[in-house]
Each structure stands twice: as C-alpha cells, then as structure tokens.
Amino acid sequence: MTGSAQEFVVEADGGSRGNPGPAGYGAVVLDAATGETLVEAAEYLGVVTNNVAEYRGLLAGLRAAAELDPDATVHVRMDSKLVVEQMSGRWKIKHPDMKPLAAEAARVFPPGRVTYEWIPRADNKHADRLANEAMDAGARGEQWSPSTSTAELDAATDRAASAGRTAGSRRSGDRPAAAPAGAGEAADVAAAGGDAPFAGERLPRTTTRTGAGSAASGGGEAAVSGGGAIAGERVGRAARTGAGAPAAADVRAAKVVASPGWGPPDMGAPATFVLLRHGETPLTPQKRFSGSGGSDPSLSPVGREQAERVAESLARRGTIEAIVASPLARTRETAGIVAARLGLPVTVEEGLRETDFGAWEGLTFGEVRDRHPADLDAWLASPDAEPTGGGESFAATAIRIAATRDKLVAAYAGRTVLLVSHVTPIKTFLRLALGAPPDSLFRMELSAASLSAVAYYADGGASVRLFNETSHLR
C-alpha cells in the first residue's frame, strides 16, 4: 500500500459451543474514517475453548489489517473484557493456552500502534455473527465461506431495528430502559487459572449465541495461518451501516451471600444465583431416578411444606429480586409457593430442567444395577455415557447448563435471582463454578428444598457462597 499509513478499526469475537467445544471466530477490519468494511474473516476452529476462539479472532483481525497496511495504526474493539484487559497490560496472562496467542497478537504490529477498547456485545454484532456463521458451517462439516455470509447485512438490520425502537420510545415520551451495568460483560468475560484479579480458578465461558443447540464434533485446535491471507477472509465489502421485618441474622447471612467479594470497586455487584432444589415428590424418599423424561411428579405434602418453609426463610432475608424455574411440575410448584410469599412472578427457563435418565426413569439404583449393569457401569465411569434408552449424558447436561448460566448472568447482572431447579443442574452449576472434574457430581449431597449460591463477576469469575443449606427445614 502506498501513501500515508491508514487507520483501521478491528472488531473481533469468538465463541465455543461447549467449553471446550466446537468453536469459531469472526473478525472485521474497518476504515476508521469512513466505517467501510474492508475485510471480513471467519473460521471454524474445531474443539477449543471460548477464550482461545476470542484470541484467534483478535489475531485474525490484526493480521488482516497488517495485510492491508503494515504501517497502519489499529484500534481493536471487542466484547471480551478478558482479552482487552490482558492485551492492554492491565491483567496478567497466566493460562498456558492464552500466553502464546497473546504474544503472537502483540507481534503483528509494533508496540504503541494498537489500542484496545471493550464494547458491549450489542455493539459487536458483526463479528459475533461471523463467528456464529463459522460455527454453523463447522456443524455441517464445512468451513465458513465468504460467498454465503450475511453477517454484515444481519448486523446492520439489527442496528436499524434497535434504532427504530429507540426513536419510537423517545417519540412517545418514554425513557429507554437501560441495560444492567456489565450485562454483556458478565456473560462474556472468562479467565482461567487466575488471569483476572481474583484468586482461584476461573472456568471459561460457554456460549451458544445465535446458533444455540448446534453440536458439531471436531478434534484438535485449528491454527490461524501465519502470514499471507487469513483463513476464510473476504476483502472489499460495501460500507458497513418482601414482606415482614427481616431477622438480623438472616439479613447478615443474605448480605454475605450477595456481597461483591474481593473484586475491584469498578466491577459492580455480581449476578448472584441462589439455587433452590425443589421440595420432595413421592419418588424422592424412595431414591428413584426422576428426570425430565419420566412421569413429571408433583410435590408430595412433605414437599409442599418444605417449599413453604424455604419461602418464609427467603422472605425474612429479603434479597431475592427475581425467580426463574425449570419447566417441570415439581420445580414450578416449588417456585410458585415461594413466589406467592415474595410477591414476585416466575419465569420458566427450559435450560434448568433435570437430566433425562432414559429407561432408568422411575427406577431405584439397585433396579438399574439389576437390569442394565453394563450401562450403569459405563455411566458411572464417563460423563459422556448416556443412560439406557438414549437419555442425557452428564456432559450434555453440562453444555446445556453452561449456556443457561451465560444467558441468565447476562440477563440478571448485578441482581440476586432464585433459580428453582434439580439435583443434577444445581450440582453442575457448582461444579463449573469450582472448576471441579465431572466425577465430583457423585461426591455432593444435595437435599430436597436445600439452598446453594454462586456469585458471577464481571471479569468472568465465579464464587461459591453457599452449599446445601437446610437450616430453614429444621
């Protein structure tokens, strides 16, 4: 390229459907002066983590900009606070998968010629849609093709629709509702191995984004090509367009559960999930498999009393701001009893349902051992094994719960939400927050109508605050 050096804007994103799971990135290079889209790049990466995909997107965007003008100055815009903070030098990079990618990205342009800015996910739709197109292509066993991409058009349509809604709201005299502070960031930022300024493990985000439910298989991590053209790039696109007085002890306990922790003050309050297992059903004391594929039992009289007791306890604490429940009868009934006491509506979330135990539904452990010994041994040995008859594996449940977690963290950033769910989903929330292995599910006791809690911070960190609390039942 001849003449004076250009100024570019690079927007990049990455996602993983399962963490690790089938992943892809998207990147866009824009003319900083005109906003014209100069290059689009996207690639299906096989099975990698979300953070790796985000770094791959950054690297692809920087390399595409360097291909256009190696002397350019570049302003990077991403909705990954982890990548932005690490590449800006404010957060340390400790995870072994991130270090070489960050070092490679830092070498594309000389120091001082690249700046970084965090933006909300809503402002990064072009790159986000490219990443999803790449993942969708991977699910079909293909690589992303620029000739079939509609990412720029779709993003422009979304922006136009959003602008129209805002204008209509202002014309009618309404004040547009503000998004919760850090909503997109809370869902998108993830650090592993202490990268962010929190102690302890950080489990990377799992995202389904616009291609929810797609599950392509793939092995290995696809490398971004070094030098020359970026894999799957497109050049020369058109221009881008409670009632009652709380007891003092309960209030103190609630504040501990919902407090921000050790994060820096500008991070804001976490999204706190108070996890309530439903009350007993007739199957509970018999210790029978009762998932989402069985008879869908309602609460027993004991279970309804348990729900009343937990409702009273939560009303005294006074910290619950919203209630979300699994669609199954026992969780909706438990949630309804609590909601009536707190004066809150109940939102039903399909992702909170219990695991489907296939042909084991309604059977005791001993009965399964007698009828399906080989299947039971395989299930106990591997999270990928399904119950007899095509039930849901623990690995599949974890993918579903991680996606549900991200969705709810984004929707309820800074708020305390009661999630009424089941044994396996609640244990999975806790396992993922702790970064514990899958077999830890067999090492947790979770009582009927028990309370647990996890706080999710804007840097992607999670903190388990409470586990299997049952004092309200005594």
Side-chain angles (χ1 to χ4, degrees):
M1 181 167 294
T2 61
S4 59
Q6 291 191 331
E7 295 183 10
F8 298 135
V9 173
V10 168
E11 294 177 350
D13 201 7
S16 173
R17 294 170 180 170
N19 211 353
Y25 69 71
V28 188
V29 181
L30 308 170
D31 186 301
T34 66
E36 178 186 1
T37 297
L38 303 174
V39 180
E40 286 180 315
E43 186 178 6
Y44 174 64
L45 298 173
V47 176
V48 301
T49 66
N50 182 77
N51 292 152
V52 167
E54 289 172 335
Y55 264 106
R56 294 290 189 190
L58 168 64
L59 192 53
L62 291 174
R63 283 178 168 164
E67 285 289 313
L68 292 174
D69 185 354
D71 297 320
T73 58
V74 179
H75 182 63
V76 175
R77 292 157 43 92
M78 297 181 69
D79 62 66
S80 170
K81 192 170 182 63
L82 173 73
V83 175
V84 168
E85 294 298 315
Q86 288 180 339
M87 291 303 298
S88 298
R90 291 185 289 270
W91 288 2
K92 292 182 179 179
I93 305 171
K94 297 182 180 179
H95 196 282
D97 291 343
M98 303 300 110
K99 282 185 176 181
L101 292 172
E104 197 170 355
R107 289 194 295 267
V108 176
F109 286 95
R113 295 241 303 273
V114 182
T115 56
Y116 289 86
E117 176 190 4
W118 176 84
I119 57 174
R121 183 186 299 175
D123 293 343
N124 201 30
K125 289 183 177 179
H126 192 167
D128 174 85
R129 289 184 180 277
L130 286 169
N132 275 285
E133 285 185 350
M135 286 184 276
D136 290 341
R140 300 189 300 268
E142 304 169 357
Q143 283 289 346
W144 177 81
S145 171
S147 63
T148 60
S149 176
T150 63
E152 184 174 23
L153 177 61
D154 292 342
T157 300
D158 281 353
R159 285 194 297 271
S162 177
R165 287 192 297 269
T166 302
S169 174
R170 289 172 178 167
R171 282 195 298 272
S172 64
D174 296 332
R175 180 180 179 183
E185 173 184 324
D188 283 350
V189 179
D195 291 343
F198 280 96
E201 286 293 313
R202 298 290 182 267
L203 194 76
R205 162 175 69 115
T206 302
T207 178
T208 56
R209 303 224 174 175
T210 59
S214 175
S217 62
E221 179 177 315
V224 178
S225 57
I230 305 302
E233 74 174 28
R234 170 162 55 194
V235 181
R237 289 273 298 195
R240 173 187 158 182
T241 43
D250 280 337
V251 170
R252 285 196 299 273
K255 287 181 178 179
V256 168
V257 169
S259 64
W262 294 345
D266 62 348
M267 199 168 294
T272 301
F273 293 169
V274 179
L275 305 166
L276 170 61
R277 184 190 170 193
H278 61 80
E280 283 190 10
T281 75
L283 300 181
T284 306
Q286 300 175 29
K287 298 187 181 300
R288 295 185 179 275
F289 283 93
S290 182
S292 60
S295 60
D296 195 15
S298 298
L299 297 180
S300 66
V302 171
R304 286 190 287 275
E305 181 181 354
Q306 290 172 331
E308 293 284 358
R309 290 194 178 191
V310 75
E312 288 299 320
S313 176
L314 291 172
R316 287 196 304 272
R317 297 184 182 194
T319 57
I320 301 299
E321 299 173 81
I323 301 175
V324 182
S326 152
L328 300 183
R330 52 198 182 272
T331 42
R332 286 189 288 107
E333 188 175 358
T334 301
I337 292 171
V338 175
R341 182 67 180 84
L342 300 185
L344 294 170
V346 176
T347 300
V348 174
E349 170 54 55
E350 177 68 24
L352 294 176
R353 71 182 187 278
E354 179 59 286
T355 298
D356 183 346
F357 293 111
W360 302 351
E361 294 279 358
L363 302 180
T364 65
F365 189 89
E367 289 169 342
V368 173
R369 169 66 72 189
D370 290 340
R371 301 181 192 184
H372 310 286
D375 289 350
L376 181 62
D377 287 343
W379 182 73
L380 293 172
S382 171
D384 295 312
E386 297 177 349
T388 305
E392 187 179 23
S393 69
F394 283 151
T397 300
I399 291 173
R400 167 166 57 86
I401 293 302
T404 302
R405 172 202 63 199
D406 291 346
K407 173 183 175 181
L408 295 177
V409 166
Y412 296 101
R415 302 171 68 188
T416 299
V417 185
L418 182 71
L419 305 187
V420 187
S421 189
H422 310 262
V423 170
T424 312
I426 292 174
K427 287 184 177 181
T428 301
F429 272 106
L430 297 166
R431 179 182 80 76
L432 294 177
L434 293 169
D439 61 3
S440 63
L441 295 177
F442 298 115
R443 301 172 187 172
M444 301 184 209
E445 173 67 27
L446 200 70
S447 304
S450 64
L451 291 169
S452 303
V454 182
Y456 297 91
Y457 297 93
D459 76 329
S463 172
V464 174
R465 299 296 187 82
L466 191 69
F467 173 64
N468 200 38
E469 168 61 41
T470 58
S471 62
H472 48 276
L473 302 179
R474 295 194 289 271

